[in-house]
Amino acid sequence: MLKKLKGLSTQRLGWLLLLISALILELTALYFQHGMALQPCVLCIYERVALFGVLIAGAVGLIAPQFLITRLIAIAVGLASAIKGLLIALKHVDYQMNPAPWKQCSVFADFPETLPLDKWFPFMFKPTGTCNEITWQFLGLTMAQWIVVIFAFYIALLLFVLLSQLTRTHKQRRLFH
């Protein structure tokens, strides 16, 4: 399995699939926001940014997947983003499952002054909802719980891809056939 993963990671198709999956999830989030009128909270916005990190990892991997350094950079960006996204999503689930007056998220996104995504792209990064409100469920899980599942999947996948980089893919020479 690791050899197949390494083979896939050395081709553009694997990285394209990662990029497309993250893009589909981003577009789904925009559909929930603008099509279904579900208001994103600040943690939802931060989860979107982490998902963009996974999308960027796919784009980096697409550049030159045949080079180990490119793959390692893409894996590092993807893992860092997925881990950060998982931590944010776990906090979000905690706010929803254990509501309390002292567990409140900010109503404003706290982006750096040099990268004010909420001002540049308010249609995508401006929070308008509250973190502890559950507005959508599917198969008994809230949106925040699904985000935990998604980021956990990305982490597992990228860890396996990282481990696969240690395997050899070239064929051994045989003296006798």
Side-chain angles (χ1 to χ4, degrees):
M1 179 180 98
L2 288 178
K3 285 184 181 183
K4 287 188 180 194
L5 263 178
K6 183 172 185 180
L8 192 59
S9 75
T10 60
Q11 301 169 5
R12 287 197 163 99
L13 176 64
W15 298 104
L16 182 63
L17 290 173
L18 181 68
L19 185 145
I20 288 172
S21 71
L23 181 62
I24 288 171
L25 290 169
E26 291 288 359
L27 292 173
T28 302
L30 287 175
Y31 171 74
F32 281 134
Q33 179 179 352
H34 297 292
M36 295 177 61
L38 300 178
Q39 301 305 313
C41 67
V42 73
L43 294 179
C44 296
I45 299 302
Y46 294 156
E47 290 159 359
R48 283 184 191 178
V49 173
L51 193 55
F52 261 110
V54 174
L55 190 145
I56 289 169
V60 169
L62 269 173
I63 293 171
Q66 67 273 21
F67 298 116
L68 177 63
I69 189 71
T70 308
R71 292 192 309 270
L72 291 177
I73 290 170
I75 292 167
V77 169
L79 267 176
S81 298
I83 290 169
K84 184 64 176 176
L86 178 65
L87 294 173
I88 293 167
L90 288 171
K91 181 178 180 180
H92 196 174
V93 168
D94 181 47
Y95 281 8
Q96 289 182 341
M97 297 298 121
N98 306 303
W102 58 87
K103 287 185 178 178
Q104 299 291 325
C105 61
S106 174
V107 293
F108 302 106
D110 189 21
F111 291 116
E113 288 182 23
T114 56
L115 193 66
L117 295 175
D118 56 330
K119 307 251 185 318
W120 292 349
F121 307 105
F123 71 95
M124 188 169 208
F125 295 112
K126 185 175 182 181
T128 53
T130 58
C131 293
N132 56 1
E133 185 179 351
I134 297 173
T135 57
W136 181 87
Q137 286 186 318
F138 179 68
L139 298 176
L141 296 177
T142 67
M143 192 175 302
Q145 290 169 327
W146 278 110
I147 296 297
V148 168
V149 170
I150 289 165
F151 280 125
F153 173 78
Y154 278 136
I155 291 168
L157 175 69
L158 289 166
L159 283 174
F160 279 120
V161 171
L162 180 61
L163 285 173
S164 76
Q165 302 309 303
L166 303 173
T167 62
R168 293 184 181 200
T169 55
H170 64 281
K171 294 180 181 179
Q172 300 277 340
R173 289 188 187 182
R174 291 189 203 175
L175 189 56
F176 300 105
H177 293 276

